[in-house]
Amino acid sequence: MTPLILASESPRRRELLKKAGYDFDVVPVKVSEIPNKNLNVNDQILDIARRKARAAFDLLKSSRTGPFTVLAADTEVIFGEGPLGKPSDRDDAYRILRLLSGRFHEVITAVCMIDSSSQKELSQFEITHIYFKELSDNEIWSYIDTGDPMDKAGAYGIQSGAGHFIDRIEGPFDNVVGLPIDLVRKMLLELAK
């Protein structure tokens, strides 16, 4: 298999790839994650994943001698018409979690891959529907006090302290964590054709 490069600093994405049995190198890149307002929400998320993949590809193409495949992803929590993003502070985390309490939202992860040999680029996304139970102020503030929500889209990590906030999930659990492995497998097979 062509060497896989994960263009992400996310420990959650690394863990999911490792558990799925993939060998990979990590090459994190910094790109603007400000969404392009001229695109619809799904395309905004795909666009950010593409920016990450292309930045890593451009960084590596001159220094790598053999073939490689870059994998990048972007995960957003969508409530109503738009993404909630990561909280800016504790009060913002409270606002987001209060908004999600007792309601339905979507988690969308866009995945982009670029193969260095064929120059082929693939981008797709996965959607998971999440239903939160009603949360008390005490539950929300106790969770915020752990610090866990501060670096996460939608101000929660399903795999950590916020798992008990979930009433129901429709769709892949790993998508909510940050990387839909079944989609990754399908895209790698498609690139190998």
Side-chain angles (χ1 to χ4, degrees), residues 1 3-8 10 13-19 21-27 64 69 71:
M1 188 175 123
L4 187 61
I5 310 294
L6 176 64
S8 174
S10 167
R13 289 190 180 118
R14 283 197 297 261
E15 189 179 320
L16 286 167
L17 266 183
K18 207 172 283 182
K19 275 186 185 171
Y22 290 101
D23 288 324
F24 57 95
D25 291 327
V26 177
V27 177
R64 289 244 170 181
T69 300
L71 161 62

mmCIF file of all heavy atoms in Angstrom, residues 1 3-8 10 13-19 21-27 64 69 71:
data_model
loop_
_atom_site.group_PDB
_atom_site.id
_atom_site.type_symbol
_atom_site.label_atom_id
_atom_site.label_comp_id
_atom_site.label_asym_id
_atom_site.label_seq_id
_atom_site.Cartn_x
_atom_site.Cartn_y
_atom_site.Cartn_z
ATOM 1 N N MET A 1 0.832 -1.191 0.000
ATOM 2 C CA MET A 1 0.000 0.000 0.000
ATOM 3 C C MET A 1 0.878 1.257 0.000
ATOM 4 O O MET A 1 1.922 1.303 0.636
ATOM 5 C CB MET A 1 -0.903 -0.001 1.246
ATOM 6 C CG MET A 1 -1.934 1.107 1.237
ATOM 7 S SD MET A 1 -3.050 0.979 2.656
ATOM 8 C CE MET A 1 -2.810 2.589 3.377
ATOM 9 N N PRO A 3 2.347 4.685 1.066
ATOM 10 C CA PRO A 3 2.424 5.293 2.390
ATOM 11 C C PRO A 3 1.339 6.361 2.587
ATOM 12 O O PRO A 3 1.078 7.169 1.691
ATOM 13 C CB PRO A 3 3.814 5.917 2.415
ATOM 14 C CG PRO A 3 4.608 5.103 1.453
ATOM 15 C CD PRO A 3 3.628 4.712 0.376
ATOM 16 N N LEU A 4 0.705 6.314 3.752
ATOM 17 C CA LEU A 4 -0.382 7.223 4.078
ATOM 18 C C LEU A 4 0.135 8.343 4.971
ATOM 19 O O LEU A 4 0.872 8.098 5.930
ATOM 20 C CB LEU A 4 -1.493 6.445 4.790
ATOM 21 C CG LEU A 4 -2.802 7.160 5.093
ATOM 22 C CD1 LEU A 4 -3.488 7.632 3.801
ATOM 23 C CD2 LEU A 4 -3.744 6.222 5.858
ATOM 24 N N ILE A 5 -0.260 9.568 4.650
ATOM 25 C CA ILE A 5 0.123 10.747 5.432
ATOM 26 C C ILE A 5 -1.138 11.383 5.989
ATOM 27 O O ILE A 5 -2.030 11.781 5.235
ATOM 28 C CB ILE A 5 0.841 11.801 4.550
ATOM 29 C CG1 ILE A 5 1.979 11.194 3.731
ATOM 30 C CG2 ILE A 5 1.301 12.972 5.405
ATOM 31 C CD1 ILE A 5 3.140 10.683 4.533
ATOM 32 N N LEU A 6 -1.225 11.474 7.304
ATOM 33 C CA LEU A 6 -2.357 12.134 7.941
ATOM 34 C C LEU A 6 -2.011 13.601 8.170
ATOM 35 O O LEU A 6 -1.092 13.921 8.917
ATOM 36 C CB LEU A 6 -2.696 11.457 9.273
ATOM 37 C CG LEU A 6 -3.812 12.108 10.107
ATOM 38 C CD1 LEU A 6 -5.151 12.064 9.373
ATOM 39 C CD2 LEU A 6 -3.923 11.424 11.464
ATOM 40 N N ALA A 7 -2.757 14.485 7.511
ATOM 41 C CA ALA A 7 -2.506 15.926 7.637
ATOM 42 C C ALA A 7 -3.384 16.487 8.755
ATOM 43 O O ALA A 7 -4.327 17.229 8.519
ATOM 44 C CB ALA A 7 -2.805 16.630 6.312
ATOM 45 N N SER A 8 -3.068 16.078 9.985
ATOM 46 C CA SER A 8 -3.889 16.490 11.126
ATOM 47 C C SER A 8 -3.109 16.358 12.424
ATOM 48 O O SER A 8 -2.342 15.418 12.597
ATOM 49 C CB SER A 8 -5.146 15.619 11.202
ATOM 50 O OG SER A 8 -5.885 15.905 12.361
ATOM 51 N N SER A 10 -4.881 16.124 15.191
ATOM 52 C CA SER A 10 -5.887 15.556 16.078
ATOM 53 C C SER A 10 -5.476 14.191 16.631
ATOM 54 O O SER A 10 -5.306 13.236 15.874
ATOM 55 C CB SER A 10 -7.216 15.397 15.325
ATOM 56 O OG SER A 10 -8.098 14.591 16.058
ATOM 57 N N ARG A 13 -8.093 11.549 15.584
ATOM 58 C CA ARG A 13 -7.977 10.978 14.227
ATOM 59 C C ARG A 13 -6.843 9.957 14.175
ATOM 60 O O ARG A 13 -6.962 8.908 13.539
ATOM 61 C CB ARG A 13 -7.759 12.087 13.194
ATOM 62 C CG ARG A 13 -9.008 12.912 12.992
ATOM 63 C CD ARG A 13 -8.933 13.869 11.807
ATOM 64 N NE ARG A 13 -10.187 14.596 11.739
ATOM 65 C CZ ARG A 13 -10.298 15.916 11.865
ATOM 66 N NH1 ARG A 13 -9.224 16.669 11.982
ATOM 67 N NH2 ARG A 13 -11.478 16.483 11.826
ATOM 68 N N ARG A 14 -5.734 10.274 14.827
ATOM 69 C CA ARG A 14 -4.602 9.323 14.866
ATOM 70 C C ARG A 14 -5.047 8.004 15.503
ATOM 71 O O ARG A 14 -4.730 6.926 15.001
ATOM 72 C CB ARG A 14 -3.435 9.922 15.661
ATOM 73 C CG ARG A 14 -2.646 10.949 14.892
ATOM 74 C CD ARG A 14 -1.299 11.208 15.528
ATOM 75 N NE ARG A 14 -1.384 11.759 16.848
ATOM 76 C CZ ARG A 14 -1.253 13.048 17.150
ATOM 77 N NH1 ARG A 14 -1.022 13.929 16.205
ATOM 78 N NH2 ARG A 14 -1.342 13.467 18.389
ATOM 79 N N GLU A 15 -5.769 8.110 16.614
ATOM 80 C CA GLU A 15 -6.210 6.916 17.332
ATOM 81 C C GLU A 15 -7.162 6.070 16.480
ATOM 82 O O GLU A 15 -7.044 4.847 16.431
ATOM 83 C CB GLU A 15 -6.910 7.351 18.625
ATOM 84 C CG GLU A 15 -7.235 6.214 19.559
ATOM 85 C CD GLU A 15 -7.898 6.710 20.841
ATOM 86 O OE1 GLU A 15 -7.477 7.761 21.374
ATOM 87 O OE2 GLU A 15 -8.837 6.039 21.282
ATOM 88 N N LEU A 16 -8.089 6.723 15.791
ATOM 89 C CA LEU A 16 -9.036 5.984 14.942
ATOM 90 C C LEU A 16 -8.313 5.259 13.802
ATOM 91 O O LEU A 16 -8.614 4.101 13.519
ATOM 92 C CB LEU A 16 -10.089 6.939 14.373
ATOM 93 C CG LEU A 16 -11.154 7.431 15.351
ATOM 94 C CD1 LEU A 16 -11.925 8.602 14.768
ATOM 95 C CD2 LEU A 16 -12.106 6.299 15.730
ATOM 96 N N LEU A 17 -7.369 5.931 13.157
ATOM 97 C CA LEU A 17 -6.609 5.308 12.065
ATOM 98 C C LEU A 17 -5.772 4.132 12.575
ATOM 99 O O LEU A 17 -5.698 3.082 11.935
ATOM 100 C CB LEU A 17 -5.681 6.330 11.407
ATOM 101 C CG LEU A 17 -6.163 7.078 10.179
ATOM 102 C CD1 LEU A 17 -5.066 7.982 9.644
ATOM 103 C CD2 LEU A 17 -6.682 6.160 9.087
ATOM 104 N N LYS A 18 -5.157 4.335 13.736
ATOM 105 C CA LYS A 18 -4.329 3.283 14.333
ATOM 106 C C LYS A 18 -5.176 2.060 14.674
ATOM 107 O O LYS A 18 -4.810 0.929 14.364
ATOM 108 C CB LYS A 18 -3.645 3.825 15.596
ATOM 109 C CG LYS A 18 -2.334 3.147 15.926
ATOM 110 C CD LYS A 18 -1.615 3.844 17.059
ATOM 111 C CE LYS A 18 -0.961 5.106 16.538
ATOM 112 N NZ LYS A 18 -0.196 5.838 17.542
ATOM 113 N N LYS A 19 -6.333 2.292 15.306
ATOM 114 C CA LYS A 19 -7.238 1.187 15.670
ATOM 115 C C LYS A 19 -7.727 0.440 14.445
ATOM 116 O O LYS A 19 -8.000 -0.756 14.503
ATOM 117 C CB LYS A 19 -8.451 1.723 16.444
ATOM 118 C CG LYS A 19 -8.220 1.886 17.915
ATOM 119 C CD LYS A 19 -9.522 2.270 18.600
ATOM 120 C CE LYS A 19 -9.289 2.550 20.072
ATOM 121 N NZ LYS A 19 -10.486 3.119 20.719
ATOM 122 N N GLY A 21 -5.983 -0.187 11.948
ATOM 123 C CA GLY A 21 -4.882 -0.981 11.420
ATOM 124 C C GLY A 21 -4.021 -0.311 10.375
ATOM 125 O O GLY A 21 -3.214 -0.972 9.712
ATOM 126 N N TYR A 22 -4.152 0.984 10.215
ATOM 127 C CA TYR A 22 -3.352 1.702 9.218
ATOM 128 C C TYR A 22 -2.017 2.154 9.789
ATOM 129 O O TYR A 22 -1.939 2.604 10.931
ATOM 130 C CB TYR A 22 -4.111 2.930 8.690
ATOM 131 C CG TYR A 22 -5.287 2.568 7.827
ATOM 132 C CD1 TYR A 22 -6.578 2.602 8.344
ATOM 133 C CD2 TYR A 22 -5.113 2.170 6.501
ATOM 134 C CE1 TYR A 22 -7.670 2.257 7.552
ATOM 135 C CE2 TYR A 22 -6.196 1.823 5.713
ATOM 136 C CZ TYR A 22 -7.472 1.861 6.249
ATOM 137 O OH TYR A 22 -8.541 1.518 5.466
ATOM 138 N N ASP A 23 -0.973 2.046 8.954
ATOM 139 C CA ASP A 23 0.324 2.652 9.258
ATOM 140 C C ASP A 23 0.343 3.993 8.544
ATOM 141 O O ASP A 23 -0.048 4.082 7.375
ATOM 142 C CB ASP A 23 1.478 1.786 8.727
ATOM 143 C CG ASP A 23 1.659 0.517 9.545
ATOM 144 O OD1 ASP A 23 1.460 0.577 10.770
ATOM 145 O OD2 ASP A 23 1.978 -0.520 8.941
ATOM 146 N N PHE A 24 0.807 5.019 9.224
ATOM 147 C CA PHE A 24 0.788 6.350 8.615
ATOM 148 C C PHE A 24 1.786 7.254 9.315
ATOM 149 O O PHE A 24 2.215 7.003 10.439
ATOM 150 C CB PHE A 24 -0.627 6.965 8.704
ATOM 151 C CG PHE A 24 -1.161 7.061 10.109
ATOM 152 C CD1 PHE A 24 -1.024 8.221 10.855
ATOM 153 C CD2 PHE A 24 -1.796 5.975 10.694
ATOM 154 C CE1 PHE A 24 -1.499 8.315 12.147
ATOM 155 C CE2 PHE A 24 -2.277 6.047 11.999
ATOM 156 C CZ PHE A 24 -2.130 7.223 12.725
ATOM 157 N N ASP A 25 2.170 8.299 8.609
ATOM 158 C CA ASP A 25 2.960 9.380 9.182
ATOM 159 C C ASP A 25 2.032 10.565 9.400
ATOM 160 O O ASP A 25 1.022 10.705 8.707
ATOM 161 C CB ASP A 25 4.100 9.800 8.228
ATOM 162 C CG ASP A 25 5.160 8.725 8.096
ATOM 163 O OD1 ASP A 25 5.399 8.003 9.082
ATOM 164 O OD2 ASP A 25 5.726 8.601 7.002
ATOM 165 N N VAL A 26 2.394 11.413 10.347
ATOM 166 C CA VAL A 26 1.595 12.605 10.626
ATOM 167 C C VAL A 26 2.358 13.839 10.156
ATOM 168 O O VAL A 26 3.510 14.035 10.528
ATOM 169 C CB VAL A 26 1.266 12.721 12.136
ATOM 170 C CG1 VAL A 26 0.509 14.007 12.426
ATOM 171 C CG2 VAL A 26 0.472 11.505 12.603
ATOM 172 N N VAL A 27 1.714 14.622 9.316
ATOM 173 C CA VAL A 27 2.282 15.889 8.847
ATOM 174 C C VAL A 27 1.205 16.963 9.047
ATOM 175 O O VAL A 27 0.391 17.212 8.159
ATOM 176 C CB VAL A 27 2.721 15.814 7.366
ATOM 177 C CG1 VAL A 27 3.240 17.171 6.894
ATOM 178 C CG2 VAL A 27 3.776 14.739 7.169
ATOM 179 N N ARG A 64 9.555 14.196 -0.722
ATOM 180 C CA ARG A 64 9.346 12.744 -0.752
ATOM 181 C C ARG A 64 9.741 12.186 -2.106
ATOM 182 O O ARG A 64 9.347 12.725 -3.135
ATOM 183 C CB ARG A 64 7.871 12.418 -0.485
ATOM 184 C CG ARG A 64 7.475 12.665 0.947
ATOM 185 C CD ARG A 64 7.087 11.369 1.569
ATOM 186 N NE ARG A 64 6.924 11.551 3.002
ATOM 187 C CZ ARG A 64 6.598 10.588 3.810
ATOM 188 N NH1 ARG A 64 6.407 9.374 3.352
ATOM 189 N NH2 ARG A 64 6.482 10.807 5.100
ATOM 190 N N THR A 69 0.044 9.039 -0.188
ATOM 191 C CA THR A 69 -1.343 9.502 -0.216
ATOM 192 C C THR A 69 -1.573 10.379 1.007
ATOM 193 O O THR A 69 -1.299 9.960 2.129
ATOM 194 C CB THR A 69 -2.341 8.322 -0.190
ATOM 195 O OG1 THR A 69 -2.119 7.503 -1.331
ATOM 196 C CG2 THR A 69 -3.775 8.814 -0.189
ATOM 197 N N LEU A 71 -4.111 12.299 3.538
ATOM 198 C CA LEU A 71 -5.466 12.222 4.078
ATOM 199 C C LEU A 71 -5.674 13.414 5.008
ATOM 200 O O LEU A 71 -4.899 13.617 5.937
ATOM 201 C CB LEU A 71 -5.637 10.908 4.845
ATOM 202 C CG LEU A 71 -6.782 10.786 5.859
ATOM 203 C CD1 LEU A 71 -8.131 10.938 5.187
ATOM 204 C CD2 LEU A 71 -6.701 9.456 6.584
#
